[in-house]
């Protein structure tokens, strides 16, 4: 307790001293963010996490300090005050945090440069008493980045600020420490006359939540110590945006959880069970190329031997952009197809599940500058039947995919928050201490999501999220009746011109329906940021 108080007092003293900094060293609210000034991921970070974001300069090093508090009625904090906030949120009806960081961005105009950042929080009534949200360092040479550590990161074809969330890697969790090699921007492929461009990434990481999983699982639940993460993705873009009003982009992304030590209770004998999952070089290669692996002498690894080693997930993405140079608006239509095994990676089953979205931007309209609509359906999941072939019944039926859940690993989540789209309700909402605490019990849904934003004045901007869903539970835990759900958010940012670098953000959110129950809440965040 004394340590936490010392950290809080230190951050408050830093905040007070930063208030006296000269105006020339703060972020001006009269300029406009452009991707030529800051890489897209940095723009999204500043915009989402520290919304005194209305400016960009040539200077690329900045600090931020912020304090946040949330109060709610009902059983828990409303949905949009918890989800898609990079894991820095809490279900507790009253919660908050103090947070601060320093970021050094890489200069994309230089052939060689480096980046680094530290971003920590002291929370109240969270899953952790101290959060290292970001801690990383990296180098950039030409179009390639090599980075080690945990950094807020976005990818895919959806808008990270207005979308309901990417189906594979959303903004719903804390960053996971990893080593990543990335080509973040599209680069033209030689000999294509600049009509074809490519970007991609490859990473290996380590989950840090096993102590929390162990404590939450209790005597009956399961958890895994030191499970690892692997991700990779490749995107192509057709047509040249400087020559054509239409561009088409698409890609394949895959990810896997592997390795670690499983602790649980055998559901048949009710005896403690420990499974040591291998994590050597050979095992890593099996994960990368999606081959079977594991220890054949261990019955607990039978699924890894007969199928593919690790918990593999992925998605296909496609987007069509319309951006004519002579118009003041642009359109984007996008599609994501999530798969939880190889049968849905290709065409063994019909692609009935999808995230389908439309995005319109009106840069010169201050009232509504961007609008997003998304339709999400995950009901099919390859059908309701699953059967692994046996000598007696040699047929294989690869249905009942049970999105985001897994029989051995603790699901596609970290710290209880789903790594994919949060509308498939995260395990943090489940009752602790049960053997199925990390199941996604509402992963068969159909929903409509709306998001829009605007900047009516130079000192004020806002966003609105409205989400309507219906849940059928899951194939393993079917709902006795269809459960309807509504989640709404109004978030307003005020950054006064006379106090450069300061921002006040007020979020008002409401839940209704049988899925999460009724709740109303408010979150107030005060922040100060500026250039170093």
């Amino acid at each position: 307790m004394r340590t936490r108080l010392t950290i809080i007092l230190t951050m408050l003293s830093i905040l007070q001293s930063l208030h006296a900094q000269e105006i020339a060293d703060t972020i001006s609210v009269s300029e406009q963010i452009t991707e030529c000034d800051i890489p897209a991921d940095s723009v999204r970070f500043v915009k989402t996490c520290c919304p005194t974001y209305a400016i960009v300069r040539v200077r690329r090093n900045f600090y931020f300090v912020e304090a946040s508090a949330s109060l709610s009625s009902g059983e828990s904090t409303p949905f949009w005050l918890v989800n898609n906030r990079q894991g820095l949120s809490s279900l507790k009806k009253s919660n908050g945090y103090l947070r601060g960081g320093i970021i050094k961005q890489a200069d994309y105009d230089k052939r060689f440069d480096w980046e680094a950042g530290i971003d920590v929080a002291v929370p109240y009534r969270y899953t952790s008493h101290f959060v290292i949200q970001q801690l990383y360092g990296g180098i950039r040479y030409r179009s390639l980045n090599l980075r080690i550590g945990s950094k807020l990161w976005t990818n895919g074809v959806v808008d990270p600020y207005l979308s309901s969330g990417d189906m594979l890697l959303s903004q719903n969790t804390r960053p996971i420490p990893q080593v990543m090699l990335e080509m973040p921007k599209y680069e033209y492929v030689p000999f294509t006359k600049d009509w074809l461009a490519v970007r991609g990434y490859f990473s290996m990481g380590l989950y840090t939540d096993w102590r929390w999983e162990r404590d939450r699982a209790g005597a009956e639940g399961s958890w895994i110590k030191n499970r690892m993460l692997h991700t990779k993705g490749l995107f192509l873009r057709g047509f040249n945006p400087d020559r054509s009003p239409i561009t088409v982009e698409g890609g394949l992304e895959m990810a896997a959880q592997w390795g670690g030590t499983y602790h649980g209770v055998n559901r048949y004998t009710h005896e403690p069970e420990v499974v040591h999952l291998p994590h050597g070089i050979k095992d890593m290669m099996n994960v990368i190329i999606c081959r079977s692996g594991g220890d054949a002498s261990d019955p607990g690894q039978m699924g890894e031997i007969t199928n593919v080693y690790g918990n593999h997930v992925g998605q296909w993405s496609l987007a069509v952009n319309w951006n004519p140079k002579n118009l003041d608006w642009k359109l984007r239509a996008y599609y994501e197809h999530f798969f939880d095994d190889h049968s849905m990676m290709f065409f063994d089953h019909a692609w009935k599940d999808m995230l389908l979205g439309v995005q319109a931007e009106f840069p010169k309209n201050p009232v509504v500058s961007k609008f997003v609509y998304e339709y999400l359906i995950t009901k099919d999941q390859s059908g309701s039947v699953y059967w692994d072939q046996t000598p007696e019944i040699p047929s294989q039926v690869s249905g009942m995919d049970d999105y985001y859940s897994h029989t051995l690993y603790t699901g596609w989540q970290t710290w209880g928050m789903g790594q994919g789209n949060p509308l498939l309700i995260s395990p943090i909402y489940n009752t602790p201490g049960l053997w199925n605490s990390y199941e996604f019990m509402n992963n068969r849904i159909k929903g409509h999501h709306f998001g829009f934003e605007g900047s009516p004045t130079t000192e004020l901007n806002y966003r609105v999220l409205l989400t309507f869903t219906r849940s059928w539970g899951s194939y393993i835990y079917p709902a006795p009746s269809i459960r309807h759900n509504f989640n709404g958010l109004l978030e307003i940012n005020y950054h006064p011109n006379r106090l450069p670098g300061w921002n006040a953000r007020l979020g008002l959110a409401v839940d209704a329906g049988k899925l999460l129950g009724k709740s109303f809440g408010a979150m107030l965040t005060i922040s100060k940021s500026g250039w170093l």
Side-chain angles (χ1 to χ4, degrees):
M1 188 67 173
R2 183 178 299 175
T3 301
R4 183 186 297 183
L5 180 60
T6 302
I7 295 173
I8 293 174
L9 292 176
T10 301
M11 295 179 71
L12 289 175
S13 66
I14 294 173
L15 181 61
Q16 184 178 8
S17 65
L18 291 174
H19 176 54
Q21 184 174 335
E22 294 182 3
I23 292 179
D25 290 332
T26 60
I27 298 180
S28 161
V29 296
S30 61
E31 302 172 19
Q32 182 181 6
I33 282 185
T34 58
E35 290 195 13
C36 61
D37 294 317
I38 283 185
D41 57 346
S42 298
V43 171
R44 290 165 182 159
F45 162 66
V46 176
K47 183 174 181 179
T48 305
C49 305
C50 188
T52 46
Y53 64 86
I55 29 268
V56 175
R57 290 187 180 178
V58 175
R59 304 171 71 173
R60 300 176 184 277
N61 310 327
F62 66 91
Y63 69 85
F64 67 93
V65 182
E66 67 180 34
S68 181
S70 174
L71 291 173
S72 305
S73 65
E75 295 184 3
S76 61
T77 302
F79 183 85
W80 285 126
L81 294 182
V82 176
N83 293 274
N84 279 352
R85 295 182 179 269
Q86 293 85 29
L88 200 60
S89 58
S90 173
L91 285 182
K92 302 294 185 181
K93 293 191 292 184
S94 60
N95 63 80
Y97 64 81
L98 290 177
R99 180 183 182 188
I102 298 175
I103 306 296
K104 194 277 180 191
Q105 304 169 64
D107 186 345
Y108 278 68
D109 293 329
K110 296 180 179 179
R111 176 173 295 188
F112 177 85
D113 202 8
W114 62 279
E115 64 174 351
I118 181 171
D119 170 10
V120 299
V122 182
Y124 169 67
R125 303 191 76 189
Y126 274 47
T127 53
S128 303
H129 299 296
F130 183 76
V131 176
I132 301 177
Q133 185 75 346
Q134 299 185 91
L135 181 61
Y136 65 90
I139 57 175
R140 185 195 61 79
Y141 179 71
R142 292 181 179 268
S143 60
L144 294 177
N145 290 351
L146 178 61
R147 182 174 62 249
I148 182 170
S150 54
K151 180 186 178 182
L152 294 174
W153 178 78
T154 63
N155 194 59
V157 297
V158 303
D159 186 282
Y161 198 55
L162 294 179
S163 169
S164 64
D166 189 88
M167 290 298 295
L168 182 65
L169 296 167
S170 69
Q171 301 297 295
N172 202 42
T173 67
R174 302 180 195 175
I176 296 172
Q178 52 193 306
V179 178
M180 175 174 284
L181 179 64
E182 179 186 20
M183 182 186 291
K185 294 185 176 183
Y186 279 110
E187 300 291 337
Y188 290 113
V189 178
F191 311 112
T192 64
K193 297 183 179 181
D194 293 350
W195 286 100
L196 182 65
V198 62
R199 65 179 177 90
Y201 64 91
F202 180 96
S203 80
M204 284 288 176
L206 178 67
Y207 288 87
T208 60
D209 59 347
W210 67 267
R211 292 181 179 85
W212 177 82
E213 280 197 353
R214 177 195 60 193
D215 296 342
R216 180 179 171 84
E220 298 295 326
S222 62
W223 54 281
I224 291 188
K225 181 178 180 180
N226 294 334
R227 73 193 190 280
M228 303 183 74
L229 171 70
H230 166 56
T231 67
K232 54 181 173 285
L234 181 67
F235 286 81
L236 298 175
R237 186 187 67 194
F239 304 105
N240 188 321
D242 295 326
R243 305 175 191 171
S244 170
I246 296 178
T247 57
V248 180
E249 58 184 306
L252 171 64
E253 298 173 90
M254 300 182 68
Q257 298 168 322
W258 65 286
T261 303
Y262 168 87
H263 298 261
V265 176
N266 189 293
R267 67 181 66 181
Y268 303 109
T269 65
H270 303 288
E271 295 293 327
E273 184 177 26
V274 177
V275 179
H276 298 281
L277 295 160
H279 53 272
I281 298 297
K282 179 181 177 181
D283 307 297
M284 181 177 68
M285 293 305 300
N286 287 336
V287 171
I288 292 173
I289 62 178
C290 303
R291 292 179 56 185
S292 61
D295 184 356
S297 64
D298 186 349
Q301 301 184 41
M302 188 57 62
E304 312 302 288
I305 298 296
T306 57
N307 294 300
V308 175
Y309 180 48
N311 175 26
H312 289 254
V313 292
Q315 73 179 10
W316 292 96
S317 303
L318 178 67
V320 179
N321 306 292
W322 170 256
N323 185 17
K325 300 298 183 182
N326 59 337
L327 298 178
D328 295 332
W329 52 270
K330 52 186 176 181
L331 292 175
R332 177 181 180 88
Y334 54 87
Y335 167 86
E336 289 187 343
H337 168 72
F338 177 82
F339 54 87
D340 214 305
D341 60 21
H342 286 176
S343 67
M344 283 292 282
M345 180 178 178
F346 298 108
F347 297 99
D348 292 0
H349 300 277
W351 288 11
K352 297 180 180 180
D353 295 335
M354 72 186 77
L355 173 68
L356 186 63
V358 178
Q359 176 177 311
E361 295 186 43
F362 314 98
K364 295 186 178 181
N365 185 340
V367 179
V368 178
S369 58
K370 186 184 293 185
F371 173 84
V372 167
Y373 165 73
E374 292 179 339
Y375 170 70
L376 174 63
I377 181 169
T378 61
K379 282 183 59 183
D380 183 62
Q381 302 188 22
S382 303
S384 59
V385 178
Y386 175 82
W387 179 260
D388 258 336
Q389 60 184 358
T390 64
E392 295 77 16
I393 305 178
S395 299
Q396 175 76 31
V397 182
S398 299
M400 206 164 71
D401 288 346
D402 202 15
Y403 290 169
Y404 298 162
S405 295
H406 196 265
T407 55
L408 184 59
Y409 291 87
T410 49
W412 192 235
Q413 59 82 31
T414 179
W415 295 98
M417 303 296 290
Q419 293 177 243
N421 190 293
L423 299 185
L424 284 68
I425 303 300
S426 296
I428 192 72
Y429 288 88
N430 297 346
T431 302
L434 302 178
W435 70 271
N436 57 358
S437 294
Y438 300 104
E439 290 280 337
F440 286 77
M441 297 185 178
N442 288 279
N443 58 19
R444 297 184 64 231
I445 69 167
K446 181 184 291 187
H448 301 271
H449 172 79
F450 303 84
F452 56 93
E453 66 179 1
S455 299
T457 73
T458 58
E459 297 184 319
L460 197 70
N461 63 280
Y462 76 93
R463 69 166 173 162
V464 171
L465 303 179
L466 302 171
T467 309
F468 306 84
T469 58
R470 290 180 290 166
S471 172
W472 284 258
S474 69
Y475 280 126
I476 307 299
Y477 303 98
S481 61
I482 299 174
R483 288 177 284 197
H484 296 257
N485 193 49
F486 168 74
N487 312 111
L489 171 71
L490 168 63
E491 196 167 72
I492 301 172
N493 287 290
Y494 175 61
H495 32 83
N497 290 332
R498 65 181 182 276
L499 294 174
W502 286 90
N503 183 84
R505 180 171 78 246
L506 176 64
L508 302 174
V510 62
D511 289 349
K514 294 183 179 180
L515 184 58
L516 298 180
K518 296 180 179 180
S519 181
F520 175 80
M523 176 183 289
L524 177 63
T525 304
I526 306 295
S527 59
K528 172 69 171 69
S529 60
W531 301 107
L532 296 174

